[in-house]
Amino acid sequence: MVKTLPKLEKLFKNNELFTLALTHRSYLNEHSEVKESNERVEFLGDAILSFIVSRYLYLKYPDKPEGQLTLFRTKLVQTATLGKLAKELLIGDQLYLSKGEETNGGRSNVALLANSYEAVLGALLLDQGLEACERFVTETLLSRAEELLEESPVDAKSELQEKVQAGGLPSPLYETVAAQGPDHAKIFTVVVKVEGKVLGEGKGRSKQEAEQKAAAAGLSGTN
């Protein structure tokens, strides 16, 4: 469990930004007086989270290549991880949801919770700036980064598929574009495409490893 976390509302100086961070788009359907959901601050929080985690990994692992750092970042910011953190922070209990969304389990929906974590971060940036965001991410995520990275390997392919399908796009396609070296030590190069556009490229000693690295590179480009 996350240790000694402050209550979310106490992190904010501006209560309106705190409320905005917890307002799911479904809530607007039943409350015409509410004009904005948390989707825009979620967009902002996603970018800030990627920056903070990337800088942490860059400094923490000076000998790791770019591909490995990308896989580490994907593991730390993937939906399952952020959803778990949001649950521990009791974000689900505080969300403003429509009755239908709540009936359908919105308060425990992992993807919705992960998005809400990012929305809180984005709203916190507007409220108090980058330093407050860094404290929040450090307390909730980076303080346990090594533990999270030691857990099961990241499934970058599943994460990428979830992201592109959430945007209304078809599933990613993986194409092996090169296989170099002797049979006992081949290096495969794979690209991942969505609607014909290359999102990322990866190399590995197996096609599966190369696909995971290509997916991780694709996630880096979609953040």
Side-chain angles (χ1 to χ4, degrees):
M1 292 290 291
V2 179
K3 297 180 180 178
T4 60
L5 283 177
K7 290 186 177 180
L8 283 180
E9 64 269 23
K10 293 189 176 181
L11 296 177
F12 284 81
K13 295 179 179 179
N14 185 328
N15 288 333
E16 291 183 1
L17 284 172
F18 174 62
T19 299
L20 174 62
L22 299 174
T23 302
H24 186 256
R25 63 184 177 186
S26 67
Y27 189 75
L28 276 60
N29 298 330
E30 298 175 356
H31 298 268
S32 59
E33 74 280 6
V34 180
K35 302 302 181 184
E36 186 177 2
S37 74
N38 63 6
E39 289 183 328
R40 281 169 50 84
V41 287
E42 176 199 332
F43 164 81
L44 185 59
D46 177 75
I48 293 301
L49 181 63
S50 181
F51 164 71
I52 293 172
V53 172
S54 295
R55 184 171 65 178
Y56 165 83
L57 293 171
Y58 179 83
L59 297 173
K60 178 73 173 177
Y61 301 102
D63 299 326
K64 297 292 185 183
E66 181 270 343
Q68 189 65 52
L69 294 178
T70 298
L71 284 171
F72 282 175
R73 181 179 62 196
T74 300
K75 173 63 179 176
L76 292 177
V77 304
Q78 66 182 330
T79 299
T81 302
L82 298 185
K84 179 180 180 181
L85 297 181
K87 184 177 181 180
E88 292 174 351
L89 287 161
L90 304 180
I91 287 178
D93 296 344
Q94 302 173 74
L95 289 172
Y96 294 92
L97 303 173
S98 69
K99 293 178 181 177
E101 188 69 42
E102 184 162 6
T103 299
N104 290 329
R107 295 195 187 279
S108 58
N109 181 296
V110 174
L112 193 157
L113 288 174
N115 292 341
S116 300
Y117 177 95
E118 292 177 337
V120 167
L121 185 60
L124 191 58
L125 179 73
L126 297 177
D127 187 46
Q128 296 177 51
L130 182 59
E131 187 175 337
C133 292
E134 290 174 329
R135 285 196 302 270
F136 177 70
V137 174
T138 297
E139 289 182 11
T140 61
L141 175 62
L142 298 182
S143 62
R144 59 199 297 191
E146 292 185 25
E147 166 199 337
L148 292 168
L149 291 173
E150 287 175 0
E151 292 178 0
S152 58
V154 63
D155 185 358
K157 290 178 66 176
S158 295
E159 185 75 5
L160 180 62
Q161 177 156 324
E162 181 180 310
K163 276 189 176 287
V164 299
Q165 289 186 332
L169 298 172
S171 296
L173 297 176
Y174 295 85
E175 178 182 343
T176 302
V177 296
Q180 299 174 315
D183 288 342
H184 68 280
K186 266 193 194 308
I187 299 296
F188 296 91
T189 302
V190 170
V191 296
V192 58
K193 300 179 180 180
V194 173
E195 293 190 323
K197 177 183 177 182
V198 174
L199 295 185
E201 178 181 301
K203 296 179 185 291
R205 296 187 179 278
S206 68
K207 290 183 180 179
Q208 292 80 5
E209 180 185 358
E211 288 176 357
Q212 285 286 350
K213 289 184 176 179
L219 282 167
S220 179
T222 62
N223 285 337

